[in-house]
Amino acid sequence: MSNSFLNILQGQIHVVEYIVECIHRAKIRPDQSTLWYTFCAYVDQELYNTAIEALQVLSVRMISEEADVLKEKGVIVEDLILSEEPDAELKIMKTFEATEHLATALLNLRWCATMGSTISWSPEDSLWARRLASSYDGNRRPHIFTSIVPKQFVV
């Protein structure tokens, strides 16, 4: 997504949610930009708790889509995420320097924990993830208000 596309989607969170759910159903791990755009879409609408929940779910999915892999990795990295040491972020960045997406996911999860969110290694247990799964099945698509979409994006 580009910034101009994001500007078009302002106020149309349902479209962002639909895209995120399609990515999940295709078993594609989200990248840093997907996390950022989704988080910002909720923050722009002042849905802060939802923004943090979405960031947590997408960060966990960024690590892996498979439950057994998440439980295994969760045990390994949870101490880093919840550490109260002043250099915890630096340790995460140095430890996972070669895998930027993993470092990003862990830093996001650390931030979510700092904001008071309980870290769950089962993203499907999230109310946000369950709502998206039930709202955007294969037959339902969001309505896009074409009156606010520039002509070059309309098919």
Side-chain angles (χ1 to χ4, degrees):
M1 286 190 218
S2 68
N3 286 335
S4 60
F5 188 65
L6 259 188
N7 290 335
I8 292 167
L9 294 180
Q10 260 185 340
Q12 296 196 52
I13 291 174
H14 58 286
V15 178
V16 174
E17 291 177 342
Y18 175 72
I19 293 167
V20 167
E21 184 59 22
C22 286
I23 289 170
H24 174 60
R25 288 176 188 253
K27 303 248 183 251
I28 299 169
R29 288 193 290 178
D31 62 6
Q32 292 95 321
S33 61
T34 304
L35 272 69
W36 176 250
Y37 292 137
T38 305
F39 180 79
C40 288
Y42 289 113
V43 169
D44 286 346
Q45 297 297 309
E46 298 182 4
L47 300 169
Y48 304 115
N49 290 335
T50 306
I52 290 175
E53 186 175 2
L55 183 65
Q56 179 183 339
V57 168
L58 293 175
S59 294
V60 171
R61 286 180 181 168
M62 193 177 195
I63 295 169
S64 179
E65 287 277 346
E66 298 177 29
D68 54 336
V69 172
L70 286 172
K71 285 181 184 177
E72 180 183 313
K73 286 189 178 184
V75 170
I76 296 168
V77 298
E78 197 157 287
D79 287 339
L80 276 174
I81 293 170
L82 300 176
S83 174
E84 293 187 23
E85 294 179 26
D87 63 341
E89 287 89 359
L90 185 60
K91 282 183 181 177
I92 290 172
M93 290 181 353
K94 284 184 177 181
T95 304
F96 300 100
E97 176 172 37
T99 53
E100 183 181 328
H101 71 281
L102 186 54
T104 300
L106 296 177
L107 289 170
N108 285 336
L109 289 171
R110 180 169 170 74
W111 188 74
C112 290
T114 301
M115 297 303 295
S117 180
T118 303
I119 303 301
S120 169
W121 295 103
S122 298
E124 305 317 311
D125 291 344
S126 157
L127 293 175
W128 178 79
R130 288 191 297 204
R131 182 178 59 76
L132 264 59
S134 67
S135 297
Y136 304 108
D137 65 13
N139 298 321
R140 285 191 244 161
R141 292 184 170 73
H143 177 74
I144 300 172
F145 299 104
T146 55
S147 61
I148 65 168
V149 178
K151 293 192 187 318
Q152 70 261 28
F153 289 110
V154 178
V155 181

